[in-house]
Amino acid sequence: MRAEIFVPGGGAAPDGWDAFVRAGRAGVLWEEALLEAAAWASPRPYFAGLIRDAGEPVAAFCGRLGVFPLVRRFRPAGRAASPGWFQTRLPYSFSGGRLYGPQLGRTERRFAVRTFERALRRRLGARCVGVLHFAATAAELPDLAGPARLRRPIAPTTVLRTRWDSMDAYFAELPRGRRRRLTALYERVGDDPELVSVVAAPAIDPVRASRLDQLTRMKYTGRPEGVAPLPPGYFERLNERPGAAYFAHLEKGAGLPVSFDLVLDTPEGWMTTVTGAAGGVRDLYFDLYLREIEQLIVTGVPAVDFGPGMRAIKESFGGEPLARYAVVAPFAPW
């Protein structure tokens, strides 16, 4: 096996990159155009690698150098401000940045991981002190195991699995107090004369989405001044591609979003990622969950991954925690 390392936003992806990620139904965020757009907004440099075996793509990796930025400014693509850990992570999602072809068994996947790590060290040199494999499931841990590697649990993600045939059946399964509150919320927001609820729309106003995302992330971080906005071009590219949809509330007159949740197709069902909401109307975030659950039931999608964070709230909607781990692979000193 051999690895081809490239910098999203700083050079073209290797031949066959998009074809490989599409064949594996990896999700639209893996495509070169979306990796490039994500790199525009990141103060930390992203790198990606395609692994070939006998000339054919068999695995892909993506991540960023530096878990925490040490400077609050952008740098040229592929330039790091200081040495750090490389974190395998898909930009603006809760997923680890590792993708394997279906033909790879356990031994081959482990070899693909080592091939990427060696190529990454050659490319980054002393700037990279090791690899932090982020958001690994229990099933993936053997692929990442090895001498001198540390494994630690991280915040679980919350997955809601479709098991109802109607919203009435969904509400009926909830505890009485929770059922009454969510039913009232669902009806109140649905009947709001100033709002239009949008379900699985293929596109959204990119400028407004960029602003709502930035405001929401600023609200929930201790460093609001360090939140880099996702540029409108990121949403413009998502709007052009299948595999991404928006649940949203729009102003009835202007048609601009006042809240939204980006939902992506994955092999397991759906995954929520970027979200945003303006102030002024309460409970829109919770109503988006209910609209997504309703659409799960209607379409027969098996599950939705709501991501980590706010675990108690997400479990109150019927979600279940799914354990995730970080595996630390330090590099030996040069």
Side-chain angles (χ1 to χ4, degrees):
M1 291 185 182
R2 64 183 182 88
E4 299 175 59
I5 305 293
F6 74 100
V7 178
D15 290 342
W17 175 273
D18 278 354
F20 175 70
V21 299
R22 288 170 184 164
R25 297 181 58 232
V28 66
L29 297 188
W30 276 94
E31 294 185 14
E32 179 184 6
L34 268 299
L35 292 179
E36 179 183 58
W40 295 340
S42 177
R44 291 157 286 194
Y46 275 95
F47 296 85
L50 184 67
I51 310 302
R52 298 184 191 272
D53 189 13
E56 294 298 318
V58 295
F61 296 86
C62 179
R64 65 194 185 194
L65 181 60
V67 178
F68 301 105
L70 299 180
V71 293
R72 296 172 183 170
R73 64 186 179 90
F74 295 96
R75 299 183 66 81
R79 295 282 297 277
S82 61
W85 292 87
F86 185 89
Q87 185 181 38
T88 54
R89 180 172 192 159
L90 191 61
Y92 297 100
S93 80
F94 310 118
S95 300
R98 300 170 299 277
L99 178 64
Y100 309 102
Q103 71 272 39
L104 296 189
R106 179 75 70 199
T107 300
E108 290 81 11
R109 289 196 295 270
R110 292 184 68 176
F111 192 66
V113 170
R114 303 304 186 276
T115 299
F116 173 70
E117 291 173 350
R118 288 193 295 268
L120 189 69
R121 187 174 195 191
R122 287 194 298 270
R123 176 64 179 267
L124 300 181
R127 288 183 294 164
C128 184
V129 298
V131 178
L132 172 61
H133 291 289
F134 174 77
T137 64
E140 194 183 1
L141 289 176
D143 304 335
L144 305 172
R149 292 173 183 244
L150 302 177
R151 183 184 76 190
R152 294 290 184 269
I154 61 174
T157 191
T158 304
V159 178
L160 184 141
R161 305 187 190 281
T162 311
R163 52 187 182 272
W164 312 277
D165 57 11
S166 67
M167 282 301 284
D168 287 341
Y170 166 74
F171 284 127
E173 188 177 291
L174 298 174
R176 182 180 179 183
R178 186 67 173 163
R179 177 170 66 247
R180 293 177 62 181
R181 182 175 184 277
L182 289 184
T183 301
L185 183 158
Y186 182 73
E187 293 173 352
R188 172 170 53 82
V189 176
D191 293 339
D192 191 320
E194 301 301 322
L195 295 176
V196 176
S197 296
V198 174
V199 173
I204 197 170
D205 181 274
V207 174
R208 190 62 173 262
S210 173
R211 184 58 174 157
L212 291 176
D213 159 69
Q214 183 186 21
L215 289 173
T216 300
R217 287 191 287 127
M218 289 173 67
K219 180 179 178 181
Y220 292 104
T221 180
R223 297 178 57 254
E225 73 281 359
V227 173
L230 268 173
Y234 182 83
F235 294 97
E236 289 173 356
R237 293 190 176 189
L238 278 171
N239 290 348
E240 298 169 351
R241 285 167 169 77
Y246 301 92
F247 288 76
H249 300 100
L250 310 181
E251 299 173 351
K252 190 143 193 177
L256 294 174
V258 295
S259 77
F260 79 95
D261 203 12
L262 173 61
V263 174
L264 305 175
D265 290 340
T266 72
E268 294 77 29
W270 287 346
M271 176 177 64
T272 63
T273 56
V274 179
T275 190
V281 183
R282 61 190 177 93
D283 294 332
L284 293 185
Y285 188 73
F286 298 148
D287 186 70
L288 289 174
Y289 278 171
L290 294 175
R291 305 295 162 181
E292 290 163 5
I293 293 168
E294 182 178 37
Q295 191 68 4
L296 284 175
I297 294 170
V298 169
T299 58
V301 173
V304 58
D305 186 343
F306 284 132
M310 298 190 299
R311 178 176 167 184
I313 292 175
K314 293 172 181 177
E315 289 183 7
S316 73
F317 279 84
E320 300 173 347
L322 178 66
R324 305 185 310 161
Y325 302 87
V327 177
V328 180
F331 290 155
W334 287 87

